[in-house]
Amino acid sequence: MGDHFQIIVDLDATAADAAELGGRALDWLVREGIVRAGRTDCVPGARTGHPPGEKWAKAVLEPDWEPTDGLDIKKGRRVFLGGQGDARYAICPRCAARTWFYTERWEPIEEASTAFDEAIRTWDATGEAKARCPSCEQDSDLTAWRWDGDYYAFGYLGLEFWNWPVFAPRFLADLARVLDDHRVAAVGGKL
Ligand SMILES: [Zn+2]
């Protein structure tokens, strides 16, 4: 079976305001009845988290099974990524060309990801990195690139939900409003 997670990442939160925004998001989720304020042992790999509230169903697309675990709020710079697997390609924010790291059959393309791996390590260490597009040969901020399957998100605030049904777009939009209309990305996967 394994555990599924969905991480809602605030792409515009900064090192300075992530804690305040995370607190505000939690207050809203508790007020809406989506999670509970009290912490319990409900998150794989973390000591405690916030278990589902009685109105959890309004956050999800198809409430056909009950979430079994809770919410862990990650504050601070972090490369958020989907679980198993990888991104097959990245999409340039300037020319929209795809840079492929694997073939359609998931065979790795030699050297294709070297510069991107380096940029990801740099961003993780410093919060700033650029990646060059092999098609248009322009540098763009790593955070502006899009990834196959939304595999990566780079940010300072992530709401990590374990073993919940897929969230509804409406819920993500409402949450984004609570976060000062920031852009949010949903990264999901399985461990
Ligand atoms: Zn390009």
Side-chain angles (χ1 to χ4, degrees), residues 91-99 132-140 145:
I91 302 173
C92 172
R94 293 179 194 266
C95 75
R98 291 179 178 188
T99 299
R132 171 159 297 193
C133 172
S135 295
C136 67
E137 300 188 332
Q138 302 274 323
D139 290 334
S140 298
W145 287 75

Side-chain angles (χ1 to χ4, degrees), residues 15 18 74-80 122-128 154-157:
K74 307 278 195 198
K75 297 165 194 166
R77 185 170 61 240
R78 190 179 288 255
V79 176
F80 294 97
T122 302
W123 189 89
D124 198 22
T126 67
E128 270 182 58
F154 304 92
Y156 290 82
L157 175 64

Side-chain angles (χ1 to χ4, degrees), residues 119-188:
I120 290 168
R121 276 195 298 275
T122 302
W123 189 89
D124 198 22
T126 67
E128 270 182 58
K130 289 185 185 289
R132 171 159 297 193
C133 172
S135 295
C136 67
E137 300 188 332
Q138 302 274 323
D139 290 334
S140 298
D141 280 333
L142 184 67
T143 55
W145 287 75
R146 290 176 41 231
W147 306 84
D148 172 30
D150 294 324
Y151 190 80
Y152 286 107
F154 304 92
Y156 290 82
L157 175 64
L159 308 179
E160 189 175 273
F161 290 83
W162 285 89
N163 296 315
W164 280 56
V166 174
F167 289 124
R170 165 101 191 254
F171 167 67
L172 298 177
D174 288 346
L175 183 57
R177 260 195 299 282
V178 172
L179 297 168
D180 291 338
D181 284 320
H182 285 176
R183 296 168 303 139
V184 299
V187 172

